[in-house]
Amino acid sequence: MGSEKYSILLPTYNERENLPIIVWLIVKYLEESKINFEIIIIDDGSPDNTQEVAKELIKIYGEDKILLRPRAAKLGLGTAYIHGLSHATGDFIIIMDADLSHHPKFIPQFIELQKKHNYDIVSGTRYKGDGGVYGWDFKRKLISRGANFLSQFLLRPKASDLTGSFRLYKKEVLSQLIKACESKGYVFQMEMIVRARAMNFTIGEVPISFVDRLYGQSKMGATEIIQFAKNLLYFFATI
Amino acid sequence: MTKLNEWVFGLSVFFGIYMALVTKRIKHEIIDDNMFFIQILPLILVVLLGIYAVTTVLYRTLTFNECKDAAMELQKEILEARKDLASKGMKFT
């Protein structure tokens, strides 16, 4: 592929099991497609020694490929991206979860689609084409589809997956969006894409398969649903 | 214009026309003949929207792609990754 460089931001917290695997997969699929990239690990002082694992990975893959840029404490996703962005040397930024729910095999598809249409953002989507999920029961699927329907109906965001966090951004676009966004946690992803529409950025979509955490527990309880509804209404009234 | 403003605007236009019709400020034979239908029109629209929402959400829930192959592929790749990384000197605890 071309001379563009891609910076992959991996915010981690207690991911010592998953980190080596995700890094291995990224290297495998991106080198196969001859993509110039760097991985920036932003660890928020994980007590499980995720950073030790990161240092071993640096020894294997080199410090030009893997960058460890830790922070002292758990400070939230939004600021993790700002922190990562300030260390990124790529023209494009890829954001993904380190828990293996996002497979790096989709990254070359993101890049190809971005190049074809010069999109500002390419977002992975679980809700279109061959996209889908693994490991969700009926209730979880129903909540997800219901929340998605409601947000499409109210916000008409021109993107089918609002809460997903597997995306590629032009560096400048991401930095503008982060500055405009106020929320925390997974709602942050939703605010980014809704604001992107309001700021007239172009958005492309790639269907992805989302494999819910093979290890550990994923969160989706009453608190998350209430937080989602509150923010949905807030964005509805303000963006 | 925020999405809320768009909705308020659209609903105001709709109810402006609706009130003009049911309070008979606009008079026409066709309106008089269909007065009952016009009166219950908002209710009909709400019910239709409800049916649309429920069927769409249920249909999409039931047809949500189950990515079993992706999960199995990932499990295989995890083992492959561990083996390869171990051969490069990585210690797994």
Side-chain angles (χ1 to χ4, degrees), chain A residues 16-17 24 28-29 53 56 103 105 129 131-134 141 145 153 155-156 197 209 215 236 239, chain B residues 2-4 6-7 53 60-61 64-67 70-71 73-74 77 80-82 84-85 90-91 93:
Chain A
R16 67 170 299 139
E17 287 282 330
W24 186 85
K28 178 185 170 193
Y29 284 93
V53 176
E56 284 198 51
H103 200 296
K105 70 183 172 193
V133 293
Y134 177 78
K141 284 180 178 170
R145 283 299 197 182
F153 185 72
L155 303 174
R156 278 170 284 134
R197 188 259 303 149
S209 51
Y215 311 108
F236 176 62
I239 303 180
Chain B
T2 67
K3 291 290 155 189
L4 177 63
E6 286 176 22
W7 275 83
R60 289 181 182 167
T61 303
F64 213 145
N65 270 345
E66 188 79 24
C67 306
E73 184 198 357
L74 178 62
E77 283 181 315
E80 218 182 304
R82 287 222 174 99
D84 185 52
L85 285 166
M90 179 113 194
K91 288 177 283 290
T93 45

